[in-house]
Amino acid sequence: MSMSMRYDEPQLADVLALIEEVWRSFVGVDEPLLPAEPDTGSVAYAATVTITGGWDGAVTLEFGVGTAEAVSARMLGLDEITEADVADAIGELVNMVGGNVKSLMPGPSALSLPVVSTGRIAHSNDTVEVCRCELSWAGLPMAASVHAHRD
Amino acid sequence: MHALIIDDSRAMRMILRRIVTDLGFTCAEAGDGEQALQQIADGPRPDICMIDWNMPVMDGYTFVTRVRSQPELRDITLMMVTTESEHGQIVRALAAGAHEYVIKPFTPDAIVEKLTLLGLVRDGVPA
């Protein structure tokens, strides 16, 4: 895991706690989220929300091959999952994580609607990654990151 | 008892639907506040609306104000279910007429507890 500590940036421990709470509530407790080594495979899906106002930044969840489908199936209680189901599910997961990150930062701020992509989401040059954690769920790779806007 | 779930996230609507139908509620869904107002006008009248805040077209706060501006809809219970956790937003929603406020993420038990506090559920079944 890597992090850049600043007084006015989300702290890794807090972000991890938020993700774990979301996971417990909506994905279940049977399979815990575990720290992992960076995954060298491709990002199959990514979901992001932006926060604007008292603090400007973005919260992103990245999912390796198979991870998003498995997480979505568990979250929605479905045996068969479509791409639309995946987009809905991981969009809502990042919405909840991002909404709670927003509450940690100076306000007032607004949360965007989630954006979901196949593949990695590119962040603009005026942002910097301030927090990142590599995770594993049921042996499947995923990661969470927070980017902060820099003038 | 009939619930109307208002959230632009289909995933969240599915999750909330499962919780309330397991309790014995009938359930309808809307993807934004405007759709929800139309559904209320078309019927059946919900006993409770479970409302996300951040939605396209019409957000949850605006929906609450619109419902509260119509005296004939005063019996509908309004419960926010949202990631908005800032104290000012909570106060704003309650002042606008929301009866209860649930912050995401939540557990099914938390929803049941709120429905019980609202008098809509008693001993685990619709009142």
Side-chain angles (χ1 to χ4, degrees):
Chain A
M1 300 177 187
S2 65
M3 59 182 184
S4 171
M5 308 241 340
R6 285 186 52 176
Y7 169 73
D8 54 352
E9 303 295 1
Q11 301 301 295
L12 178 63
D14 292 333
V15 174
L16 267 175
L18 293 175
I19 296 171
E20 286 171 351
E21 185 179 1
V22 170
W23 237 251
R24 278 195 302 271
S25 296
F26 289 95
V27 185
V29 299
D30 297 344
E31 292 280 358
L33 276 175
L34 299 172
E37 292 299 316
D39 182 55
T40 56
S42 60
V43 173
Y45 284 96
T48 194
V49 287
T50 57
I51 300 167
T52 53
W55 182 81
D56 294 323
V59 178
T60 303
L61 299 178
E62 296 177 343
F63 300 86
V65 175
T67 313
E69 292 89 340
V71 168
S72 301
R74 178 67 64 88
M75 183 176 169
L76 302 178
L78 298 174
D79 294 324
E80 293 185 14
I81 205 88
T82 66
E83 190 170 76
D85 293 328
V86 171
D88 286 333
I90 66 176
E92 185 58 31
L93 287 173
V94 79
N95 179 55
M96 288 187 283
V97 175
N100 282 276
V101 168
K102 180 170 84 76
S103 70
L104 297 176
M105 305 312 297
S109 297
L111 188 73
S112 74
L113 295 173
V115 172
V116 177
S117 75
T118 51
R120 194 178 301 274
I121 287 173
H123 295 274
S124 61
N125 287 336
D126 60 356
T127 64
V128 60
E129 186 177 272
V130 295
C131 179
R132 182 177 183 85
C133 46
E134 307 285 345
L135 299 164
S136 171
W137 179 77
L140 298 168
M142 57 173 291
S145 63
V146 180
H147 286 72
H149 177 77
R150 292 284 183 266
D151 293 321
Chain B
M1 286 281 178
H2 184 63
L4 176 59
I5 297 167
I6 310 164
D7 199 310
D8 59 313
S9 164
R10 179 172 160 268
M12 186 52 59
R13 296 198 306 267
M14 290 175 67
I15 289 168
L16 286 169
R17 171 182 279 271
R18 190 183 313 144
I19 294 171
V20 298
T21 55
D22 282 352
L23 286 169
F25 283 69
T26 58
C27 186
E29 299 176 21
D32 60 66
E34 192 169 285
Q35 283 183 19
L37 287 174
Q38 189 61 56
Q39 286 205 30
I40 291 172
D42 293 343
R45 178 78 56 87
D47 298 283
I48 181 168
C49 294
M50 303 170 76
I51 312 151
D52 185 27
W53 193 305
N54 295 307
M55 296 183 288
V57 184
M58 182 187 292
D59 66 27
Y61 175 79
T62 305
F63 171 81
V64 169
T65 61
R66 292 281 180 89
V67 170
R68 284 293 168 252
S69 72
Q70 300 181 55
E72 68 275 20
L73 304 182
R74 64 179 176 275
D75 291 336
I76 300 177
T77 300
L78 303 177
M79 181 163 81
M80 303 298 296
V81 184
T82 172
T83 58
E84 290 289 341
S85 58
E86 289 172 17
H87 182 257
Q89 295 289 67
I90 297 172
V91 169
R92 197 167 156 234
L94 296 175
H99 295 90
E100 264 295 352
Y101 203 102
V102 174
I103 296 172
K104 298 174 183 176
F106 54 83
T107 62
D109 285 345
I111 298 292
V112 175
E113 183 181 330
K114 291 291 189 181
L115 293 173
T116 304
L117 285 170
L118 289 165
L120 296 170
V121 168
R122 193 175 301 128
D123 297 325
V125 295

